[in-house]
Amino acid sequence: MDAQAEKKPVVLSGVQPSGFVTLGNYLGAFKNWKSLQDENDCIYMIANLHAITVRQDPAALKKNTLEGLALVLACGVDPEKSDIFIQSHNPHHAQLSWVLSCYAQFGELSRMTQFKDKSAKYADNINGGLFTYPVLMASDILLYQTDFVPVGIDQKQHVELARTIANRFNGIYSDVFTMPDCILPKQGAKIMSLTDPSKKMSKSDPNPKSYVAVLDDRNTIIKKFKSAMTDSGSGIYRAEDKLGISNLMTIYSAVTGKNDEEIVKEFQNFGYGDFKAAVGETVADTLAPIKARFDEIIADKAYLKEVYTKGNERAMKRSAKTLSKVYKKVGFGI
């Protein structure tokens, strides 16, 4: 990045190579990444180190990592504007994580909501990485002197832990780390399941009708919205007892930028069925060019390698400065 870019606020975000990305992931994160890079110094990573807290098939993980990178690019992230790399290619993340794990308290880690959730879900593999991965996430953030971290509401707790660790370390060794803040999405902060709008949309839901994947084809997307759960009564408006319609309004708002008042006016004479179809078609229209661009990029392996190689070189150059400072502070003397 040039000198001018270095003066911009540093923004870091990452995505795990899970095999596919839901509409909720897109609206909560990816959609904002493209616009963020215009006014900020952005760093985006494919967080494959985090992925192995759950057992992975090596070939599938490699494939998913490349597809995750291709999807980031397809969503409009420009490798000429942003640093884009694969997390495991930069050893500084793991090195800093060990140091910071010695400055994170057991009680702090045990209170992490996602550790509790994943421990229940993967009861036969409650490994140490599952417990300490919030420290790795803190290292991801603090390595690059990050100012802002775009996250969904469910990840805010992890950024707060990064702040706690940074504040503790800075208090002992003087100012070493920048204190990061969250960027929460203004719209679509939490997209709920299409079949059970009391639950968050998740790719792990056993019912494939509950979520929309960014790479779903047009017909699949529209069919899923047509079968979405709605509520008793009639009328398109947001209310506590209208979880289904409220969720569809949230999705439509996040995709179009329209507020509730505009949506209510637009669909005042619509029934639930017509409204669901309209939302589905709008979402399908939004995702279609992303899928088309993804198909082009994933077929060009040489281009993908060029992107992650150059991105990693820039990322390591930046992170080496922080790691060197930390090592000197703790007495490693490099």
Side-chain angles (χ1 to χ4, degrees):
M1 308 297 286
D2 59 31
Q4 183 178 3
E6 289 292 344
K7 297 177 182 178
K8 297 178 180 179
V10 177
V11 172
L12 178 134
S13 195
V15 59
Q16 286 199 39
S18 60
F20 68 91
V21 172
T22 69
L23 176 65
N25 301 140
Y26 170 72
L27 295 176
F30 284 65
K31 182 175 181 284
N32 304 311
W33 288 6
K34 179 181 178 180
S35 58
L36 283 170
Q37 68 187 347
D38 294 328
E39 301 296 332
N40 301 279
D41 180 9
C42 291
I43 305 167
Y44 298 121
M45 67 178 183
I46 309 303
N48 57 341
L49 290 178
H50 287 286
I52 65 170
T53 58
V54 177
R55 291 286 179 265
Q56 300 284 334
D57 173 76
L61 180 58
K62 180 178 179 180
K63 175 177 179 290
N64 292 342
T65 298
L66 287 176
E67 289 185 353
L69 177 64
L71 188 55
V72 168
L73 297 170
C75 287
V77 172
D78 185 348
E80 297 300 319
K81 294 181 179 179
S82 304
D83 291 344
I84 310 168
F85 69 101
I86 297 171
Q87 185 188 26
S88 64
H89 289 188
N90 183 354
H92 299 161
H93 290 255
Q95 289 174 279
L96 182 60
S97 183
W98 168 247
V99 175
L100 295 189
S101 69
C102 298
Y103 294 82
Q105 300 301 304
F106 184 90
E108 292 167 346
L109 296 179
S110 65
R111 288 192 291 271
M112 293 290 104
T113 303
Q114 289 204 358
F115 171 68
K116 297 175 183 177
D117 293 344
K118 288 192 174 183
S119 295
K121 186 174 180 180
Y122 303 103
D124 60 339
N125 184 29
I126 307 176
N127 57 72
L130 195 63
F131 186 71
T132 61
Y133 89 93
V135 181
L136 177 59
M137 185 173 176
S139 301
D140 300 334
I141 296 167
L142 299 177
L143 258 180
Y144 300 96
Q145 304 298 337
T146 303
D147 296 296
F148 299 105
V149 186
V151 291
I153 293 172
D154 59 336
Q155 290 286 343
K156 184 179 178 182
Q157 187 183 36
H158 291 135
V159 180
E160 291 171 349
L161 178 67
R163 288 176 58 87
T164 297
I165 295 172
N167 188 55
R168 182 175 293 132
F169 197 92
N170 288 349
I172 297 171
Y173 300 108
S174 74
D175 290 342
V176 177
F177 297 119
T178 299
M179 295 294 286
D181 285 313
C182 293
I183 299 178
L184 295 173
K186 296 178 181 178
Q187 296 171 311
K190 195 167 186 178
I191 303 301
M192 311 307 284
S193 163
L194 295 181
T195 56
D196 182 359
S198 67
K199 300 190 305 184
K200 182 182 174 184
M201 181 180 287
S202 172
K203 62 182 178 291
S204 61
D205 194 307
N207 185 353
K209 292 183 179 181
S210 69
Y211 57 80
V212 167
V214 172
L215 299 179
D216 278 344
D217 62 71
R218 180 179 182 82
N219 288 338
T220 298
I221 292 171
I222 293 173
K223 284 181 180 179
K224 287 182 177 181
F225 273 99
K226 284 183 176 179
S227 65
M229 175 184 170
T230 48
D231 318 282
S232 59
S234 61
I236 310 302
Y237 59 90
R238 193 181 296 277
E240 291 184 4
D241 62 346
K242 294 173 73 72
L243 296 180
I245 292 299
S246 295
N247 186 40
L248 293 173
M249 288 179 65
T250 296
I251 293 171
Y252 191 74
S253 174
V255 171
T256 64
K258 296 180 179 180
N259 60 35
D260 282 1
E261 184 178 353
E262 291 170 319
I263 295 170
V264 169
K265 184 177 180 180
E266 180 179 355
F267 294 101
Q268 60 184 341
N269 297 319
F270 279 59
Y272 286 171
D274 291 335
F275 178 57
K276 291 192 291 183
V279 176
E281 289 173 5
T282 303
V283 171
D285 289 343
T286 300
L287 298 182
I290 296 173
K291 186 180 188 308
R293 180 64 179 139
F294 170 86
D295 290 340
E296 292 176 2
I297 295 171
I298 198 61
D300 192 345
K301 296 299 190 291
Y303 172 67
L304 283 170
K305 184 174 182 178
E306 178 185 356
V307 169
Y308 69 67
T309 299
K310 289 182 178 179
N312 189 59
E313 289 173 354
R314 293 196 297 263
M316 286 193 68
K317 184 176 180 180
R318 295 159 68 119
S319 61
K321 297 177 183 178
T322 298
L323 186 66
S324 177
K325 185 184 293 186
V326 169
Y327 270 32
K328 288 176 181 177
K329 291 290 186 180
V330 301
F332 291 166
I334 64 169

